[in-house]
Amino acid sequence: EIPVRAKQLLHEKIARQIAKGVNPRAVRGLIVGIPNVGKSTLINRLAGRHIAATGDRPGVTKGQQWIKVGTEMELLDTPGILWPKFEDALVGYRLAMTGAIREQILNVEDIAFFAIKELVKRYWGPTSERFGITDPPKDLDDADEIVRVMEDIGRKRGCLISGGRVDLEKVSGIILRELRSGSLGRISLETPDDLK
């Protein structure tokens, strides 16, 4: 149990407080990370009740909040944080795919385009099965081929507008929602080779 382990780590400090006649307060911990990774969900799980607001988008936690975990521990729930600048644009796109970056500051079609390119390259089987598509792009560096795959998904999902054209904004939303909800199964956007 986490409070017990935390108290073991702080046993010297607690012993000093008791020696001074001070009643030791609850152990305090901080939960910190990027947006939309489950910090509040983890706290709710540890607390055994739903007290921290959760959602499938970044920015649900607006401010800091202390949450009691039993009688011996308190955890500080904080809004997600991101570093101010990405050295590599791929990092930003991958974070946007997961929903860690608000869609209002990025073009949803650009994110979905990048997502389909990554999914087709790394997870063609689950992507093909989930979206009901059978014709993979012949060249992942050909933007027209990636758009064609998105249009195939749009036709399968009924994302059509006048003239029988595909509504790329609507299909982009579907792709990202299904990716973020886990409908494509367990996937990783990085491999050890990507980190070299």
Side-chain angles (χ1 to χ4, degrees), residues 42-187:
L42 172 64
I43 289 175
N44 287 337
R45 187 78 176 258
L46 292 172
R49 61 192 192 283
H50 183 82
I51 193 163
T54 60
D56 63 353
R57 65 195 185 288
V60 172
T61 303
K62 301 290 185 200
Q64 299 177 352
Q65 176 184 10
W66 284 104
I67 298 174
K68 290 183 183 252
V69 178
T71 58
E72 299 181 341
M73 184 170 211
E74 294 177 355
L75 293 175
L76 182 61
D77 190 16
T78 61
I81 57 170
L82 287 171
W83 42 105
K85 181 180 175 187
F86 301 119
E87 298 295 325
D88 183 354
L90 289 177
V91 171
Y93 274 107
R94 287 179 178 145
L95 286 169
M97 281 174 63
T98 67
I101 299 174
R102 290 178 188 249
E103 285 182 6
Q104 293 90 332
I105 63 172
L106 297 170
N107 182 311
V108 69
E109 292 175 35
D110 288 346
I111 300 166
F113 178 92
F114 179 82
I116 282 297
K117 187 173 177 177
E118 288 290 296
L119 291 170
V120 165
K121 179 170 75 175
R122 297 172 190 262
Y123 298 98
W124 170 250
T127 303
S128 170
E129 184 178 324
R130 179 67 190 173
F131 294 116
I133 54 176
T134 57
D135 191 15
K138 292 161 187 55
D139 180 1
L140 287 174
D141 292 324
D142 183 349
D144 292 337
E145 281 290 296
I146 304 303
V147 170
R148 181 190 55 77
V149 171
M150 292 174 70
E151 289 175 340
D152 289 349
I153 294 169
R155 283 187 202 88
K156 291 280 185 181
R157 294 296 179 92
C159 301
L160 300 176
I161 53 179
S162 63
R165 293 176 298 141
V166 173
D167 182 343
L168 284 176
E169 184 175 354
K170 187 172 181 181
V171 75
S172 295
I174 289 170
I175 291 165
L176 294 175
R177 267 191 310 280
E178 296 205 10
L179 168 67
R180 293 168 184 166
S181 71
S183 298
L184 290 160
R186 290 179 173 246
I187 64 168

